[in-house]
Amino acid sequence: MAENVSERIEELYRPSAEVMAQAHVADWEGMAARAGKDFVGFWEEKARELIDWHSPWTKVLDDSNKPFYKWFTGARTNIVYNAIDRHLKGAYRNKLALIWEGESGETRTFSYHALNREVSKFASVLKSLGVKKGDRVTIYMGRVPELPIAMLAVAKIGAVHSVVYGGFSTEALHGRIDDSQSRVLITCDGAFLAGKIIELKRIVDEALKRSAAVEHVVVVKRTCQEVMMEQGRDMWYHDLMGLPIADPKCPTEIVDAEDPLYMLYTSGTTGKPKAIVHSHGGYQVGVATTLKYVFDLKDEDRWWCAADPGWVTGHSYIVYGPLLLGATGFMYEGAPTYPYPDRWWQLIEKYGINVFYTAPTAIRGLMRWGEAWPNRRDLSSLRLLGSVGEPINPEAWRWYHRVIGKERCPIMDTWWQTETGAFQITPLPSMPLKPGSGGRPFFGQEADIYGEDGTPVKDGEEGFLVLKRPWPAMMRTIYNDPDRYVQQYWSKYPGVYLTGDSAKRDKDGYYWIIGRVDDVIKVSGYRLGTAEVESALVSHPSVAEAAVIGLAHEVKGTAIHAYVLLRQGFEGSPALAEELKKHVGAEMGPIAKPEDVSFVASLPKTRSGKIMRRVLKARAQGLSEGDISTLEE
Ligand code: PRX
């Protein structure tokens, strides 16, 4: 990461003749120019080409109430119809939709026919539990097939899923259940990860003690350890699926294109995480189009997105995207290094994966184990690679390209966000690549880099990354907080979407993402808010005040460093620091555990009482503290 951007931009990897020969879009410049002239027309064309509709739209883009854009207004649809139902009629019926492998090696596969059966049965179960169109259902599970099945079942009946990542813990889960007011929760007894059991049901029980509106808990049996089942509230998934209420003939509820499909909590600038809302119509168009063009998916491909379904990457590119395209997706339950550091490479070899998509932190982590591990596996099935979640440092890019892709496979470094629903800045297989650059705006999108005053900066200069055109997969609002939607994303520069990232654009029009400019910290690609981690720290009896910052970390990209002011009567010690780390882990989840905890006598604050994290960060890095005229001290 230490290399200078200007030194790197000349390093160019041109697509081979083989890649060009099979690219869905060989002339990306031509297509970009056409879509640029008429982006609404471009999206309309893709909506017709890739998606079936129950009734047509009256308008492709309705921008009469900006920034509450609407797409395909008046159209009737359901993403599950396009992801499953329509494939049952033809050649895809017996094609594998999902291949799954558990951490201990067992395999389960689902054809489109079999997936439909499971989803329909579970959708009927949900209906019989009283779930109706528009109701929110929280899903908190490990990486088992029942997770996508539950998501699809919820969407099939027009309800709204709210998936909480299985790595989150009690307080994070409780807050998300409470905010969404879900009455039904779907979980597992436990999840296997790296040879250990994560006790999901126990965490659910704890979270529900903190007053949630949940009436029914459906529990998938996975780890088989003893769990508490509360009578009248908790039911086993396998019991319900064995009852006559689990009707395999559940109809798909056809909804309005703008009806909500899901909400997904993500960390923002201040306060509690907020739920981003995505809708059926535009989202399916955005996800199918981006996956088709960026990863060049072919009918015969096996696609592996190694993210967790609990994050947006998993929603768009494990669950919905591949199914919309009728592809075969692969999902793996466990950790990449369990039991050995070649587990992922072994899976690529075993299943003949053609396109593989992961995060820089995973690549950096696996790099540390050396080349011998991937080299003993046959990775020749791979055709394309992908990266997402944080900037990929050129050293990791080159390793991924050389050792995993054998210098044959282009790397798609896709930039996007929970809010954007689908890729926004990305290379295409036919585009020359620059290690560390996310390429260019996707078809129909226009990006820019603005200075503080809202004028574009010069090429090569750093500024705020903005998106200038609406796109179909864009979030529709923040659940229960439309003002915050307007304020956070559309107010700094009216009319353009503020991403929260800083970036540069080079002379060739390639974008280089630098990182977040708000109070979001990306730890191993996971998005966490300083406010959430701080409130977890302050919930410990010894802590009066806390501030956290992100500092560079070799594998995680960024790691959390906490500064803690203790209450009277408590004294800082290595044991207390350890206890606080554990406490954050228990409240939020292991990913939020601070790397280290420093005890301080005061925190730098503005006169109005706002903690100046920037000053803490500069001090930690031994840099100048910059403008501290507003500092209270
Ligand atoms: O900072 C950017 C970073 O991840 C943020 C979005 O996080 P999240 O909503 O959790 O979604 C992650 C998966 C889409 C962005 O604001 N980010 C995402 N992709 C990249 C990236 N930074 C650099 N390069 C990327 N390819």
Side-chain angles (χ1 to χ4, degrees), residues 266 311-313 387-392 413-419 438 499-501 513 515-516 522 525-527:
T266 192
W311 300 90
V312 75
T313 310
S387 171
V388 61
E390 48 172 328
I392 179 164
D413 179 1
T414 59
W415 178 93
W416 59 299
Q417 308 177 300
T418 308
E419 292 88 337
T499 64
D501 280 12
I513 308 296
R516 299 289 307 193
K522 278 261 161 174
Y526 295 119
R527 180 164 162 180

Side-chain angles (χ1 to χ4, degrees), residues 264-267 276 307 311-314 316-317 357-358 360 387-392 412-423 425-427 436-438 465 497 499-502 511-518 520 522 525-528:
L264 189 54
Y265 286 85
T266 192
S267 307
I276 301 299
W311 300 90
V312 75
T313 310
S316 297
Y317 299 110
Y357 185 37
T358 186
S387 171
V388 61
E390 48 172 328
I392 179 164
M412 301 296 107
D413 179 1
T414 59
W415 178 93
W416 59 299
Q417 308 177 300
T418 308
E419 292 88 337
T420 71
F423 311 147
I425 295 179
T426 175
S437 164
L465 176 66
Y497 171 83
T499 64
D501 280 12
S502 71
Y511 283 76
W512 300 78
I513 308 296
I514 294 160
R516 299 289 307 193
V517 280
D518 53 9
V520 169
K522 278 261 161 174
Y526 295 119
R527 180 164 162 180
L528 296 169

Side-chain angles (χ1 to χ4, degrees), residues 534 545-549 561-565 598-620 625-633:
E534 286 161 5
E545 275 187 274
V548 305
I549 57 168
H561 292 249
Y563 296 82
V564 164
L565 199 84
S598 311
F599 298 103
V600 292
S602 69
L603 289 169
K605 285 188 190 161
T606 61
R607 275 175 224 113
S608 58
K610 232 181 133 215
I611 294 172
M612 295 179 85
R613 296 191 189 81
R614 176 177 61 75
V615 171
L616 282 172
K617 202 163 168 170
R619 283 180 191 165
E625 294 182 12
D627 178 9
I628 48 168
S629 56
T630 55
L631 193 69
E632 172 202 49
E633 288 172 320

Side-chain angles (χ1 to χ4, degrees), residues 111-419:
S111 65
Y112 277 88
H113 169 79
L115 184 65
N116 178 57
R117 233 184 111 73
E118 287 292 308
V119 169
S120 299
K121 283 174 70 179
F122 194 52
S124 312
V125 167
L126 290 173
K127 271 191 180 171
S128 71
L129 293 178
V131 179
K132 292 186 297 301
K133 180 172 182 251
D135 286 353
R136 280 82 52 215
V137 175
T138 298
I139 300 176
Y140 176 66
M141 299 170 86
R143 270 195 296 266
V144 287
E146 286 79 6
L147 170 46
I149 288 166
M151 291 165 70
L152 292 158
V154 170
K156 185 178 173 75
I157 58 173
V160 180
H161 55 74
S162 167
V163 181
V164 179
Y165 169 56
F168 274 131
S169 206
T170 319
E171 184 52 33
L173 174 62
H174 156 76
R176 286 157 173 82
I177 297 173
D178 246 19
D179 184 74
S180 66
Q181 289 294 299
S182 298
R183 285 183 298 110
V184 174
L185 171 73
I186 307 160
T187 189
C188 297
D189 52 353
F192 288 119
L193 195 70
K196 295 199 195 86
I197 289 177
I198 302 169
E199 294 181 81
L200 297 179
K201 179 61 169 57
R202 192 187 51 72
I203 296 171
V204 165
D205 293 334
E206 278 299 308
L208 293 188
K209 273 189 209 152
R210 302 183 188 180
S211 81
V214 172
E215 290 162 18
H216 302 292
V217 179
V218 180
V219 189
V220 172
K221 191 171 251 188
R222 172 65 190 138
T223 44
C224 298
Q225 85 278 16
E226 195 71 35
V227 294
M228 195 273 283
M229 293 293 278
E230 191 176 298
Q231 252 212 326
R233 186 193 72 183
D234 302 349
M235 287 157 287
W236 289 106
Y237 176 89
H238 60 264
D239 284 344
L240 292 167
M241 292 291 270
L243 298 175
I245 52 163
D247 181 1
K249 295 230 164 356
C250 176
T252 300
E253 173 96 23
I254 300 306
V255 299
D256 192 277
E258 280 295 314
D259 274 338
L261 164 65
Y262 69 78
M263 46 204 267
L264 189 54
Y265 286 85
T266 192
S267 307
T269 333
T270 48
K272 287 200 218 157
K274 54 191 190 291
I276 301 299
V277 179
H278 283 289
S279 60
H280 278 259
Y283 179 77
Q284 60 186 351
V285 177
V287 167
T289 309
T290 47
L291 183 60
K292 174 169 175 171
Y293 291 134
V294 176
F295 284 106
D296 241 338
L297 274 204
K298 306 287 186 315
D299 252 8
E300 59 279 12
D301 274 340
R302 287 194 167 177
W303 154 257
W304 182 11
C305 166
D308 191 283
W311 300 90
V312 75
T313 310
H315 281 53
S316 297
Y317 299 110
I318 296 178
V319 182
Y320 291 111
L323 297 177
L324 287 167
L325 296 178
T328 298
F330 173 70
M331 185 170 142
Y332 166 60
E333 177 180 41
T337 48
Y338 189 82
Y340 299 111
D342 65 343
R343 186 61 196 272
W344 273 7
W345 319 131
Q346 176 215 354
L347 292 166
I348 291 175
E349 175 183 76
K350 177 171 173 187
Y351 294 102
I353 302 295
N354 306 106
V355 188
F356 176 66
Y357 185 37
T358 186
T361 185
I363 299 162
R364 289 192 297 263
L366 290 164
M367 254 171 92
R368 296 210 302 188
W369 294 96
E371 294 177 28
W373 289 103
N375 284 348
R376 39 179 259 194
R377 297 293 175 183
D378 177 5
L379 304 179
S380 60
S381 59
L382 288 172
R383 197 182 79 235
L384 274 170
L385 299 171
S387 171
V388 61
E390 48 172 328
I392 179 164
N393 45 310
E395 197 194 345
W397 194 101
R398 290 184 204 111
W399 188 87
Y400 194 28
H401 188 254
R402 180 176 59 81
V403 179
I404 307 306
K406 311 293 178 204
E407 298 182 343
R408 286 183 299 103
C409 307
I411 298 174
M412 301 296 107
D413 179 1
T414 59
W415 178 93
W416 59 299
Q417 308 177 300
T418 308
E419 292 88 337

